[in-house]
Amino acid sequence: MIKKALLIHPEISRTKYNFAGVIDNEPLELEYISAMLKNSGITCEIWDGQVEKISVVKKLREFRPDLLYVCGRTRQENFMKEYCRAAKSICGSITIIGGIHAQHCFKRFYVPEVDYIFTTFDIFKILDIINGVPSDNISGLCFKRDGVWTSNDAEPFDISRLPVPDRTYFYSHSDRYRYLELLPCAHVRTAYSCPFRCSFCYRNRLNCGKYTVRPIRDVVMEIRDIKCDNIYIIDDDFLVDKRRVGEFIRLVRKFGIKKKYVCYGRADFIAKNENLMKELKKIGFYYILTGLEAFDEKYLRSYRKKTTLNCNEAAVKILNGTGINIMGMFIADLDFSPSDFTKMYSWIRRNKLKHTAVSILTPELDSPMFKEYSNRIISRDPAEWDYLHVVAKPKKMSVKEYYFHYHILMIRLFIKGWREGIYDFLDYESYIKSFLKNMFRFGG
């Protein structure tokens, strides 16, 4: 009988080569599950590797859960398996793997220490296991029958069924959850999956490829009741439906909600809706994260982004004009030449883009892009799928040369940010020293 459950959000890494302490995410998925389990009379606790000071082993020995649920991303796969092994060894817990990595890479968790794997967002399937529903009857479940793994097809999940998240853990660690200078920063989800089909992104395949949204009034009521002045809307794209965004603005005003917001939004939506951006600014939108991706049309076409450079430039200009901070997200392609890194920096400066994030192109495991790059893959360690490591061979440079030029770009962007006075809370010197060190550390 399941009386106690431990829900785990894994550590990001055990090295300093990450941006922990800059963007630390509230474990929202676990808070939904916590609310559901507590409503069913199960004692439930969360352990978040980003913030906890005690080890997971100590937590297991103290709490001794009957059930362990772990979710995470590709880079956390090794930790997820490690926690399950520890739970089996210490207290014989039933172990469940869930989250976005497991949805499409579930076979990577076909290991002895794991009992169940979910390939669905439907958290209520956890209750099915607890209540003894036969595994064959639980959609989106991988399980062992006579020691052999089998999987049931998943079904799309209607996000409106989610309970109000239990934010007890967030409130007790609110000094640790942030988005850049916004501290604390709470997470809100209004949709699952993504209606677009960019080639480098696997999120449009989540939830069986079904884009599903919550009623916007429910979203606003949730935001109103959160005891936090900063809200990160973590949809893969919040700026999808002009009418829905307009209704969000209307309801925020109607209920007199005064908060700051972060969200994702495409450049083409921003470029077509300048007046709407002005209204978002008035109700508190502070950052809009925008996948600009590239500095030329060739790469935009190859990513099937369905935007143009003119569109990107217009989006930057509009948000700069409204006073909303645009966080321009770019991809350092594996086909880059050394001059391409310089061209990217020049485009950023020319368009007066203050806030930037540059990821190394990373073919996600079990994706069409991974198959495309299969003969170039040089790493099999999932911990390196963090968008900061080169996992496939660059086309025009050695791996060492590629890292060198990538880190030069990062140093230039950090120095630019330092001079422009953004992110006052950052220890710029330590990050720049880290980039200098890593220029020569990676690659053969």
Side-chain angles (χ1 to χ4, degrees):
M1 183 175 181
I2 304 299
K3 295 182 178 180
K4 296 195 296 184
L6 180 62
L7 313 178
I8 290 185
H9 180 246
E11 302 151 78
I12 300 301
S13 74
R14 290 174 184 162
T15 74
K16 293 183 179 180
Y17 191 59
N18 59 61
F19 289 99
V22 178
I23 299 173
D24 290 321
N25 297 318
E26 176 184 4
L28 183 62
E29 177 180 345
L30 302 187
E31 292 169 338
Y32 283 126
I33 297 171
S34 176
M36 175 192 70
L37 294 179
K38 287 180 178 179
N39 288 340
S40 299
I42 295 171
T43 301
C44 187
E45 292 189 10
I46 290 174
W47 185 91
D48 185 351
Q50 295 178 105
V51 305
E52 287 286 355
K53 295 180 180 178
I54 68 167
S55 70
V56 73
V57 168
K58 185 176 181 181
K59 182 67 179 180
L60 287 166
R61 286 174 175 161
E62 291 178 351
F63 186 55
R64 303 198 69 81
D66 305 301
L67 182 146
L68 182 83
Y69 177 92
V70 189
C71 64
R73 301 189 180 188
T74 308
R75 63 188 176 188
Q76 296 163 313
E77 178 185 308
N78 294 333
F79 296 143
M80 296 164 74
K81 295 174 181 176
E82 176 186 317
Y83 303 150
C84 290
R85 282 195 298 273
K88 283 293 183 189
S89 173
I90 293 168
C91 39
S93 309
I94 293 173
T95 55
I96 301 176
I97 296 289
I100 61 176
H101 178 40
Q103 282 204 28
H104 289 290
C105 293
F106 54 89
K107 290 183 180 179
R108 297 180 66 86
F109 293 99
Y110 283 5
V111 292
E113 59 267 28
V114 174
D115 293 316
Y116 300 102
I117 307 159
F118 279 116
T119 62
T120 173
F121 278 130
D122 188 349
I123 64 173
F124 296 98
K125 303 298 184 183
I126 299 172
L127 289 181
D128 288 345
I129 289 176
I130 292 171
N131 294 329
V133 174
S135 295
D136 285 331
N137 297 337
I138 303 175
S139 63
L141 179 69
C142 302
F143 62 97
K144 286 173 275 192
R145 181 189 290 120
D146 299 326
V148 178
W149 281 97
T150 187
S151 62
N152 300 333
D153 291 340
E155 298 172 353
F157 177 64
D158 178 3
I159 191 174
S160 64
R161 293 179 55 209
L162 287 171
V164 175
D166 169 22
R167 297 187 190 269
T168 306
Y169 192 87
F170 170 77
Y171 292 135
S172 64
H173 297 84
S174 59
D175 61 323
R176 296 298 303 275
Y177 293 114
R178 71 187 308 153
Y179 185 85
L180 300 173
E181 69 267 39
L182 300 183
L183 175 71
C185 190
H187 283 196
V188 170
R189 181 175 286 285
T190 90
Y192 271 145
S193 197
C194 179
F196 300 98
R197 295 293 181 264
C198 303
S199 65
F200 56 85
C201 183
Y202 68 100
R203 290 177 174 270
N204 51 47
R205 298 165 60 227
L206 298 174
N207 201 39
C208 304
K210 175 71 172 179
Y211 178 66
T212 178
V213 301
R214 293 171 59 194
I216 204 66
R217 186 181 180 88
D218 291 353
V219 172
V220 174
M221 294 300 94
E222 179 184 346
I223 290 172
R224 182 193 63 179
D225 294 339
I226 297 173
K227 299 178 184 69
C228 184
D229 292 333
N230 303 307
I231 304 295
Y232 184 176
I233 299 172
I234 60 169
D235 304 0
D236 299 311
D237 190 345
F238 180 61
L239 306 182
V240 173
D241 184 332
K242 182 177 179 180
R243 288 179 295 180
R244 187 169 185 261
V245 175
E247 181 66 1
F248 178 87
I249 294 169
R250 186 188 72 81
L251 290 171
V252 166
R253 284 180 171 147
K254 176 181 177 180
F255 292 103
I257 301 170
K258 305 295 183 183
K259 301 193 179 192
K260 291 181 180 178
Y261 300 91
V262 180
C263 80
Y264 287 89
R266 281 174 58 95
D268 50 359
F269 186 96
I270 295 166
K272 293 174 184 175
N273 294 283
E274 182 173 1
N275 289 334
L276 197 62
M277 297 304 108
K278 292 176 181 177
E279 297 305 308
L280 288 174
K281 169 63 178 177
K282 289 176 184 177
I283 66 165
F285 273 66
Y286 190 83
Y287 279 109
I288 294 182
L289 286 55
T290 306
L292 301 175
E293 318 304 0
F295 59 87
D296 71 2
E297 302 286 359
K298 177 185 72 174
Y299 286 112
L300 287 176
R301 286 194 299 271
S302 71
Y303 300 149
R304 299 203 299 270
K305 189 70 184 179
K306 295 187 177 179
T307 56
T308 64
L309 275 185
N310 287 340
C311 176
N312 285 354
E313 291 166 1
V316 175
K317 185 175 181 180
I318 286 169
L319 292 188
N320 281 347
T322 63
I324 297 176
N325 296 299
I326 177 170
M327 172 63 75
M329 298 182 294
F330 292 86
I331 296 172
D333 201 273
L334 294 172
D335 290 353
F336 268 14
S337 65
S339 64
D340 287 326
F341 288 97
T342 302
K343 290 175 184 176
M344 180 174 283
Y345 180 77
S346 297
W347 191 96
I348 290 167
R349 284 204 63 179
R350 186 169 63 252
N351 286 279
K352 300 179 181 178
L353 185 58
K354 282 189 176 183
H355 307 273
T356 54
V358 182
S359 301
I360 295 172
L361 181 68
T362 303
E364 280 295 337
L365 301 174
D366 193 37
S367 70
M369 181 172 277
F370 186 83
K371 294 174 183 176
E372 178 185 340
Y373 281 81
S374 60
N375 63 344
R376 294 169 62 176
I377 299 297
I378 57 174
S379 173
R380 296 293 172 180
D381 183 357
E384 295 192 346
W385 261 254
D386 58 359
Y387 305 96
L388 297 173
H389 285 83
V390 177
V391 299
K393 193 177 187 309
K395 185 175 183 179
K396 299 176 182 177
M397 290 177 273
S398 69
V399 174
K400 184 176 285 291
E401 288 172 322
Y402 186 97
Y403 273 122
F404 177 84
H405 291 287
Y406 174 73
H407 286 116
I408 286 290
L409 172 62
M410 297 300 290
I411 290 168
R412 297 181 77 184
L413 290 173
F414 266 68
I415 291 174
K416 179 177 176 291
W418 193 353
R419 288 172 175 167
E420 292 174 350
I422 60 174
Y423 314 146
D424 289 341
F425 69 94
L426 277 184
D427 182 351
Y428 275 99
E429 187 174 351
S430 68
Y431 274 99
I432 291 170
K433 285 181 178 178
S434 174
F435 291 136
L436 283 168
K437 180 182 73 173
N438 288 320
M439 284 168 59
F440 305 102
R441 174 184 169 198
F442 296 122

